[in-house]
Amino acid sequence: EVDNLFYNFTTTSRRLRLSTITGQVGAGVLALGTAFTPATNEWASSEQLTFLGGLAPQLNSPFNIFNWDSSINNVVFRNGNLWLAHTVFLPATVPTHCAVQWWQVNTNGAALQFGRIEDTVAHFATPSIAVNRNEDVLIGFSRFSSFQFASANYAFRSCLDVPGTMRGDAVLKDGEAPFAPLAGFIINPWSVYSATTVDPLNDTHLWTIQQYALSQTNLGGFLVDRWGTWWGVVQPTESCFRINFLSSFYNVNEATPGLATIRVLNLGGAPGTVDFATSDGTAEARNHLAKSI
């Protein structure tokens, strides 16, 4: 979660807080604040209310769209690390736009990757994230600007890409009309209908469903603004060499059986090598070895 978000709603945030639940089902023990990310990358914790309804603009409407706060809507635990994405408001002191911020975090709080989907003209918000077995990443979100209706978008990064980077955002579904069902109110809220996941039958394909501004409908002689959802799938074609050891430690008795079978899982399927080493116990360690798989 965003650290102290409840208490800092009108100020800024700069780190995440990790907590744990341990114990048997039905008797779990919650430990708050077992780890924190480094206190960097400051952002505004929540959207600033305006008389135009929000911060994010839209085409053909004087009413902006409101995107709530920087709370985290989904977290993925993959290959021993946590992945997440959330809306942030920038600059931190006087925000002028919203962006998508994403992380890969170790369970001890170390930030392994950090990035933002951000633009000087467009606004990005309400993200969800999924990570496949190769650690390809898909983030789905909504996109807003004064040159378009609110659309459903996504961004992808391959496991081969430079750490901390995403490829450019792509349109999943264009918006069709302005969205201001509460026109004239101080808030014009955009709902958090956003979900992204791996295919349950193929752990490389990534699906996302996102919200967009739907065309108006006539209800009792009045035109009513609407939203809709749209889904799509990304099927990565690049393969990565990514290995999981089925155990991190093997203890071998020199007499029986005198050998160890080190089992590895080639998650990505690409060819490569695995390094392993031995260390002294009651016997002398051998030289450092490498084995092709």
PDB file of all heavy atoms in Angstrom, residues 155-179:
ATOM      1  N   ALA A 155      -0.105  -0.592 -22.061  1.00  0.00           N
ATOM      2  CA  ALA A 155       1.323  -0.518 -22.371  1.00  0.00           C
ATOM      3  C   ALA A 155       1.952  -1.854 -22.021  1.00  0.00           C
ATOM      4  O   ALA A 155       1.528  -2.528 -21.080  1.00  0.00           O
ATOM      5  CB  ALA A 155       1.998   0.621 -21.616  1.00  0.00           C
ATOM      6  N   PHE A 156       2.981  -2.222 -22.773  1.00  0.00           N
ATOM      7  CA  PHE A 156       3.623  -3.532 -22.632  1.00  0.00           C
ATOM      8  C   PHE A 156       5.130  -3.358 -22.476  1.00  0.00           C
ATOM      9  O   PHE A 156       5.719  -2.423 -23.021  1.00  0.00           O
ATOM     10  CB  PHE A 156       3.329  -4.375 -23.884  1.00  0.00           C
ATOM     11  CG  PHE A 156       4.086  -5.672 -23.956  1.00  0.00           C
ATOM     12  CD1 PHE A 156       3.680  -6.775 -23.226  1.00  0.00           C
ATOM     13  CD2 PHE A 156       5.212  -5.783 -24.757  1.00  0.00           C
ATOM     14  CE1 PHE A 156       4.373  -7.978 -23.296  1.00  0.00           C
ATOM     15  CE2 PHE A 156       5.923  -6.978 -24.835  1.00  0.00           C
ATOM     16  CZ  PHE A 156       5.495  -8.083 -24.101  1.00  0.00           C
ATOM     17  N   ARG A 157       5.745  -4.224 -21.671  1.00  0.00           N
ATOM     18  CA  ARG A 157       7.198  -4.334 -21.653  1.00  0.00           C
ATOM     19  C   ARG A 157       7.592  -5.798 -21.756  1.00  0.00           C
ATOM     20  O   ARG A 157       6.993  -6.674 -21.112  1.00  0.00           O
ATOM     21  CB  ARG A 157       7.832  -3.698 -20.413  1.00  0.00           C
ATOM     22  CG  ARG A 157       7.602  -4.380 -19.100  1.00  0.00           C
ATOM     23  CD  ARG A 157       8.589  -3.919 -18.010  1.00  0.00           C
ATOM     24  NE  ARG A 157       9.822  -4.680 -18.027  1.00  0.00           N
ATOM     25  CZ  ARG A 157      11.003  -4.220 -18.415  1.00  0.00           C
ATOM     26  NH1 ARG A 157      11.136  -2.974 -18.819  1.00  0.00           N
ATOM     27  NH2 ARG A 157      12.063  -4.990 -18.404  1.00  0.00           N
ATOM     28  N   SER A 158       8.582  -6.060 -22.600  1.00  0.00           N
ATOM     29  CA  SER A 158       9.125  -7.403 -22.735  1.00  0.00           C
ATOM     30  C   SER A 158      10.160  -7.638 -21.652  1.00  0.00           C
ATOM     31  O   SER A 158      10.789  -6.700 -21.142  1.00  0.00           O
ATOM     32  CB  SER A 158       9.763  -7.563 -24.119  1.00  0.00           C
ATOM     33  OG  SER A 158      10.595  -8.709 -24.173  1.00  0.00           O
ATOM     34  N   CYS A 159      10.361  -8.896 -21.318  1.00  0.00           N
ATOM     35  CA  CYS A 159      11.421  -9.247 -20.379  1.00  0.00           C
ATOM     36  C   CYS A 159      12.796  -8.883 -20.923  1.00  0.00           C
ATOM     37  O   CYS A 159      13.773  -8.832 -20.165  1.00  0.00           O
ATOM     38  CB  CYS A 159      11.359 -10.733 -20.059  1.00  0.00           C
ATOM     39  SG  CYS A 159      11.402 -11.803 -21.530  1.00  0.00           S
ATOM     40  N   LEU A 160      12.894  -8.600 -22.231  1.00  0.00           N
ATOM     41  CA  LEU A 160      14.163  -8.231 -22.851  1.00  0.00           C
ATOM     42  C   LEU A 160      14.405  -6.726 -22.838  1.00  0.00           C
ATOM     43  O   LEU A 160      15.504  -6.278 -23.193  1.00  0.00           O
ATOM     44  CB  LEU A 160      14.202  -8.734 -24.303  1.00  0.00           C
ATOM     45  CG  LEU A 160      14.051 -10.250 -24.506  1.00  0.00           C
ATOM     46  CD1 LEU A 160      13.972 -10.576 -25.984  1.00  0.00           C
ATOM     47  CD2 LEU A 160      15.192 -10.995 -23.852  1.00  0.00           C
ATOM     48  N   ASP A 161      13.402  -5.937 -22.455  1.00  0.00           N
ATOM     49  CA  ASP A 161      13.524  -4.478 -22.491  1.00  0.00           C
ATOM     50  C   ASP A 161      14.408  -3.965 -21.360  1.00  0.00           C
ATOM     51  O   ASP A 161      14.633  -4.648 -20.353  1.00  0.00           O
ATOM     52  CB  ASP A 161      12.143  -3.820 -22.412  1.00  0.00           C
ATOM     53  CG  ASP A 161      11.319  -4.049 -23.673  1.00  0.00           C
ATOM     54  OD1 ASP A 161      11.908  -4.412 -24.704  1.00  0.00           O
ATOM     55  OD2 ASP A 161      10.090  -3.883 -23.615  1.00  0.00           O
ATOM     56  N   VAL A 162      14.881  -2.735 -21.532  1.00  0.00           N
ATOM     57  CA  VAL A 162      15.706  -2.084 -20.516  1.00  0.00           C
ATOM     58  C   VAL A 162      14.909  -1.971 -19.222  1.00  0.00           C
ATOM     59  O   VAL A 162      13.736  -1.559 -19.241  1.00  0.00           O
ATOM     60  CB  VAL A 162      16.152  -0.689 -20.998  1.00  0.00           C
ATOM     61  CG1 VAL A 162      16.921   0.049 -19.903  1.00  0.00           C
ATOM     62  CG2 VAL A 162      17.005  -0.813 -22.252  1.00  0.00           C
ATOM     63  N   PRO A 163      15.477  -2.335 -18.071  1.00  0.00           N
ATOM     64  CA  PRO A 163      14.741  -2.242 -16.805  1.00  0.00           C
ATOM     65  C   PRO A 163      14.186  -0.841 -16.552  1.00  0.00           C
ATOM     66  O   PRO A 163      14.812   0.165 -16.881  1.00  0.00           O
ATOM     67  CB  PRO A 163      15.809  -2.603 -15.761  1.00  0.00           C
ATOM     68  CG  PRO A 163      16.770  -3.476 -16.499  1.00  0.00           C
ATOM     69  CD  PRO A 163      16.821  -2.917 -17.893  1.00  0.00           C
ATOM     70  N   GLY A 164      12.976  -0.791 -15.991  1.00  0.00           N
ATOM     71  CA  GLY A 164      12.348   0.486 -15.665  1.00  0.00           C
ATOM     72  C   GLY A 164      11.668   1.171 -16.823  1.00  0.00           C
ATOM     73  O   GLY A 164      11.219   2.313 -16.683  1.00  0.00           O
ATOM     74  N   THR A 165      11.553   0.500 -17.980  1.00  0.00           N
ATOM     75  CA  THR A 165      10.940   1.123 -19.150  1.00  0.00           C
ATOM     76  C   THR A 165       9.714   0.336 -19.597  1.00  0.00           C
ATOM     77  O   THR A 165       9.634  -0.874 -19.418  1.00  0.00           O
ATOM     78  CB  THR A 165      11.923   1.207 -20.325  1.00  0.00           C
ATOM     79  OG1 THR A 165      12.295  -0.130 -20.734  1.00  0.00           O
ATOM     80  CG2 THR A 165      13.165   1.985 -19.934  1.00  0.00           C
ATOM     81  N   MET A 166       8.754   1.057 -20.177  1.00  0.00           N
ATOM     82  CA  MET A 166       7.600   0.459 -20.842  1.00  0.00           C
ATOM     83  C   MET A 166       7.597   0.941 -22.281  1.00  0.00           C
ATOM     84  O   MET A 166       8.095   2.021 -22.595  1.00  0.00           O
ATOM     85  CB  MET A 166       6.289   0.886 -20.170  1.00  0.00           C
ATOM     86  CG  MET A 166       6.120   0.464 -18.724  1.00  0.00           C
ATOM     87  SD  MET A 166       5.827  -1.307 -18.498  1.00  0.00           S
ATOM     88  CE  MET A 166       4.258  -1.520 -19.317  1.00  0.00           C
ATOM     89  N   ARG A 167       7.056   0.140 -23.162  1.00  0.00           N
ATOM     90  CA  ARG A 167       6.869   0.578 -24.538  1.00  0.00           C
ATOM     91  C   ARG A 167       5.691   1.563 -24.599  1.00  0.00           C
ATOM     92  O   ARG A 167       4.897   1.642 -23.678  1.00  0.00           O
ATOM     93  CB  ARG A 167       6.635  -0.623 -25.450  1.00  0.00           C
ATOM     94  CG  ARG A 167       7.811  -1.597 -25.417  1.00  0.00           C
ATOM     95  CD  ARG A 167       7.634  -2.789 -26.316  1.00  0.00           C
ATOM     96  NE  ARG A 167       8.753  -3.714 -26.160  1.00  0.00           N
ATOM     97  CZ  ARG A 167       8.894  -4.847 -26.853  1.00  0.00           C
ATOM     98  NH1 ARG A 167       7.961  -5.197 -27.743  1.00  0.00           N
ATOM     99  NH2 ARG A 167       9.939  -5.620 -26.646  1.00  0.00           N
ATOM    100  N   GLY A 168       5.603   2.340 -25.660  1.00  0.00           N
ATOM    101  CA  GLY A 168       4.588   3.387 -25.761  1.00  0.00           C
ATOM    102  C   GLY A 168       3.178   2.867 -25.592  1.00  0.00           C
ATOM    103  O   GLY A 168       2.867   1.723 -25.953  1.00  0.00           O
ATOM    104  N   ASP A 169       2.307   3.718 -25.040  1.00  0.00           N
ATOM    105  CA  ASP A 169       0.929   3.274 -24.797  1.00  0.00           C
ATOM    106  C   ASP A 169       0.192   3.086 -26.116  1.00  0.00           C
ATOM    107  O   ASP A 169       0.445   3.789 -27.097  1.00  0.00           O
ATOM    108  CB  ASP A 169       0.211   4.266 -23.883  1.00  0.00           C
ATOM    109  CG  ASP A 169      -0.245   5.518 -24.592  1.00  0.00           C
ATOM    110  OD1 ASP A 169       0.627   6.326 -24.957  1.00  0.00           O
ATOM    111  OD2 ASP A 169      -1.457   5.690 -24.785  1.00  0.00           O
ATOM    112  N   ALA A 170      -0.718   2.114 -26.137  1.00  0.00           N
ATOM    113  CA  ALA A 170      -1.490   1.785 -27.333  1.00  0.00           C
ATOM    114  C   ALA A 170      -2.966   1.834 -26.996  1.00  0.00           C
ATOM    115  O   ALA A 170      -3.375   1.605 -25.857  1.00  0.00           O
ATOM    116  CB  ALA A 170      -1.108   0.395 -27.836  1.00  0.00           C
ATOM    117  N   VAL A 171      -3.784   2.123 -28.000  1.00  0.00           N
ATOM    118  CA  VAL A 171      -5.232   2.229 -27.806  1.00  0.00           C
ATOM    119  C   VAL A 171      -5.867   0.850 -27.870  1.00  0.00           C
ATOM    120  O   VAL A 171      -5.683   0.109 -28.834  1.00  0.00           O
ATOM    121  CB  VAL A 171      -5.857   3.156 -28.862  1.00  0.00           C
ATOM    122  CG1 VAL A 171      -7.383   3.180 -28.703  1.00  0.00           C
ATOM    123  CG2 VAL A 171      -5.294   4.557 -28.760  1.00  0.00           C
ATOM    124  N   LEU A 172      -6.597   0.503 -26.831  1.00  0.00           N
ATOM    125  CA  LEU A 172      -7.413  -0.701 -26.828  1.00  0.00           C
ATOM    126  C   LEU A 172      -8.795  -0.403 -27.399  1.00  0.00           C
ATOM    127  O   LEU A 172      -9.312  -1.148 -28.227  1.00  0.00           O
ATOM    128  CB  LEU A 172      -7.519  -1.240 -25.401  1.00  0.00           C
ATOM    129  CG  LEU A 172      -8.341  -2.498 -25.171  1.00  0.00           C
ATOM    130  CD1 LEU A 172      -7.702  -3.691 -25.866  1.00  0.00           C
ATOM    131  CD2 LEU A 172      -8.486  -2.778 -23.670  1.00  0.00           C
ATOM    132  N   LYS A 173      -9.375   0.736 -26.972  1.00  0.00           N
ATOM    133  CA  LYS A 173     -10.670   1.183 -27.496  1.00  0.00           C
ATOM    134  C   LYS A 173     -10.753   2.691 -27.377  1.00  0.00           C
ATOM    135  O   LYS A 173     -10.610   3.253 -26.297  1.00  0.00           O
ATOM    136  CB  LYS A 173     -11.828   0.543 -26.708  1.00  0.00           C
ATOM    137  CG  LYS A 173     -13.221   1.015 -27.157  1.00  0.00           C
ATOM    138  CD  LYS A 173     -13.525   0.529 -28.560  1.00  0.00           C
ATOM    139  CE  LYS A 173     -14.961   0.853 -28.984  1.00  0.00           C
ATOM    140  NZ  LYS A 173     -15.132   2.306 -29.284  1.00  0.00           N
ATOM    141  N   ASP A 174     -10.996   3.363 -28.514  1.00  0.00           N
ATOM    142  CA  ASP A 174     -11.174   4.815 -28.505  1.00  0.00           C
ATOM    143  C   ASP A 174     -12.452   5.206 -27.769  1.00  0.00           C
ATOM    144  O   ASP A 174     -13.479   4.510 -27.862  1.00  0.00           O
ATOM    145  CB  ASP A 174     -11.254   5.351 -29.940  1.00  0.00           C
ATOM    146  CG  ASP A 174      -9.894   5.404 -30.614  1.00  0.00           C
ATOM    147  OD1 ASP A 174      -8.933   5.874 -29.979  1.00  0.00           O
ATOM    148  OD2 ASP A 174      -9.795   4.967 -31.775  1.00  0.00           O
ATOM    149  N   GLY A 175     -12.400   6.330 -27.063  1.00  0.00           N
ATOM    150  CA  GLY A 175     -13.614   6.888 -26.492  1.00  0.00           C
ATOM    151  C   GLY A 175     -14.544   7.382 -27.580  1.00  0.00           C
ATOM    152  O   GLY A 175     -14.111   7.713 -28.685  1.00  0.00           O
ATOM    153  N   GLU A 176     -15.827   7.451 -27.280  1.00  0.00           N
ATOM    154  CA  GLU A 176     -16.834   7.779 -28.294  1.00  0.00           C
ATOM    155  C   GLU A 176     -17.555   9.093 -28.042  1.00  0.00           C
ATOM    156  O   GLU A 176     -18.178   9.638 -28.956  1.00  0.00           O
ATOM    157  CB  GLU A 176     -17.860   6.652 -28.378  1.00  0.00           C
ATOM    158  CG  GLU A 176     -17.256   5.305 -28.778  1.00  0.00           C
ATOM    159  CD  GLU A 176     -18.272   4.180 -28.764  1.00  0.00           C
ATOM    160  OE1 GLU A 176     -19.419   4.421 -28.314  1.00  0.00           O
ATOM    161  OE2 GLU A 176     -17.932   3.069 -29.209  1.00  0.00           O
ATOM    162  N   ALA A 177     -17.485   9.633 -26.814  1.00  0.00           N
ATOM    163  CA  ALA A 177     -18.252  10.831 -26.482  1.00  0.00           C
ATOM    164  C   ALA A 177     -17.713  11.417 -25.181  1.00  0.00           C
ATOM    165  O   ALA A 177     -16.962  10.759 -24.454  1.00  0.00           O
ATOM    166  CB  ALA A 177     -19.734  10.481 -26.328  1.00  0.00           C
ATOM    167  N   PRO A 178     -18.106  12.662 -24.855  1.00  0.00           N
ATOM    168  CA  PRO A 178     -17.721  13.212 -23.542  1.00  0.00           C
ATOM    169  C   PRO A 178     -18.384  12.432 -22.417  1.00  0.00           C
ATOM    170  O   PRO A 178     -19.401  11.774 -22.607  1.00  0.00           O
ATOM    171  CB  PRO A 178     -18.243  14.657 -23.602  1.00  0.00           C
ATOM    172  CG  PRO A 178     -18.479  14.937 -25.038  1.00  0.00           C
ATOM    173  CD  PRO A 178     -18.849  13.638 -25.673  1.00  0.00           C
ATOM    174  N   PHE A 179     -17.790  12.549 -21.232  1.00  0.00           N
ATOM    175  CA  PHE A 179     -18.339  11.853 -20.067  1.00  0.00           C
ATOM    176  C   PHE A 179     -18.470  12.848 -18.923  1.00  0.00           C
ATOM    177  O   PHE A 179     -17.480  13.297 -18.357  1.00  0.00           O
ATOM    178  CB  PHE A 179     -17.416  10.700 -19.645  1.00  0.00           C
ATOM    179  CG  PHE A 179     -17.920   9.931 -18.449  1.00  0.00           C
ATOM    180  CD1 PHE A 179     -18.896   8.963 -18.599  1.00  0.00           C
ATOM    181  CD2 PHE A 179     -17.421  10.186 -17.186  1.00  0.00           C
ATOM    182  CE1 PHE A 179     -19.364   8.248 -17.492  1.00  0.00           C
ATOM    183  CE2 PHE A 179     -17.877   9.490 -16.080  1.00  0.00           C
ATOM    184  CZ  PHE A 179     -18.857   8.520 -16.235  1.00  0.00           C
TER     185      PHE A 179
END
